[in-house]
């Protein structure tokens, strides 16, 4: 059974995370960030991508009755069910890979890669997909 209040809360939370990332993206590149600011941006990015994968799992469960055990399986299932285009799938793959590097390779500096991804505003795809998936669920 769908939980529309959860869907709405997730969307609002994603929107707030995107606004925070936009603030960072628009900052003067000559301003040096503190370690805490870098960690906050990285954490926001990680949460945003995780929320997209969680909503995709939710869509797959409620639209196709497909249960996804691990986030790593989400993209393949989305592509299999044609819930994302090939281009969107590639963008999701880039976001997920960057999230994984930040999450599991935290001893290395990945902030330069994250800054490049943020400058391209790739993360805006999350909000677009959440809106599309919500409409798809509404059409049931």
């Amino acid at each position: 059974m769908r939980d529309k209040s959860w869907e709405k809360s997730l969307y609002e939370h994603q929107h707030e995370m995107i606004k925070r990332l936009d603030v960072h993206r628009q900052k003067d590149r000559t301003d040096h960030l503190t370690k805490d600011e870098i960690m906050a941006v990285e954490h926001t990015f990680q949460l945003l991508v995780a929320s997209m994968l969680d909503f995709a799992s939710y869509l797959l469960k409620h639209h196709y009755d497909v249960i996804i055990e691990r986030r790593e399986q989400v993209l393949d299932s989305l592509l299999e069910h044609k819930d994302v285009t090939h281009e969107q799938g590639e963008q999701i793959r880039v976001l997920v890979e960057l999230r994984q590097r930040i999450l599991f390779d935290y001893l290395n500096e990945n902030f330069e890669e994250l800054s490049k991804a943020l400058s391209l505003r790739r993360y805006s795809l999350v909000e677009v997909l959440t809106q599309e998936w919500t409409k798809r669920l509404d059409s049931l």
Side-chain angles (χ1 to χ4, degrees):
M1 180 158 193
R2 282 182 67 190
D3 184 347
K4 290 189 179 191
S5 65
W6 178 83
E7 292 172 26
K8 183 176 186 280
S9 293
L10 181 81
Y11 176 76
E12 289 170 356
H13 189 62
Q14 286 177 338
H15 188 71
E16 288 302 313
M17 288 186 283
I18 287 169
K19 284 180 11 185
R20 272 186 249 140
L21 291 174
D22 280 343
V23 166
H24 166 72
R25 184 180 56 81
Q26 294 166 356
K27 280 187 175 181
D28 184 350
R29 291 289 152 225
T30 60
D31 290 347
H32 293 287
L33 299 178
T34 67
K35 288 281 188 189
D36 287 344
E37 290 170 323
I38 289 171
M39 287 177 65
V41 172
E42 287 178 340
H43 187 66
T44 299
F45 178 80
Q46 290 174 25
L47 286 174
L48 183 63
V49 175
S51 73
M52 173 189 61
L53 295 172
D54 290 345
F55 196 83
S57 292
Y58 177 87
L59 166 79
L60 292 163
K61 176 182 177 185
H62 289 88
H63 196 267
Y64 300 104
D65 203 27
V66 172
I67 304 298
I68 301 296
E69 299 287 326
R70 297 181 352 259
R71 286 181 177 152
E72 294 82 27
Q73 300 169 314
V74 170
L75 180 55
D76 290 338
S77 190
L78 287 172
L79 289 166
E80 177 184 325
H81 289 93
K82 296 182 177 27
D83 278 298
V84 293
T85 65
H86 176 72
E87 292 80 16
Q88 289 171 329
E90 288 305 308
Q91 287 184 43
I92 291 170
R93 191 176 319 282
V94 168
L95 293 173
V96 168
E97 287 173 359
L98 181 54
R99 177 186 181 271
Q100 293 298 96
R101 276 197 299 277
I102 292 167
L103 190 60
F104 295 110
D105 194 18
Y106 49 83
L107 294 178
N108 289 326
E109 297 291 325
N110 293 301
F111 197 71
E112 191 62 38
E113 282 183 73
L114 178 58
S115 289
K116 287 179 195 168
L118 295 181
S119 69
L120 296 172
R121 207 170 184 275
R122 289 184 187 268
Y123 56 87
S124 63
L125 175 68
V126 174
E127 192 167 31
V128 170
L129 290 175
T130 298
Q131 290 171 338
E132 286 179 15
W133 294 338
T134 301
K135 287 177 188 170
R136 188 160 302 134
L137 289 168
D138 287 342
S139 70
L140 289 176

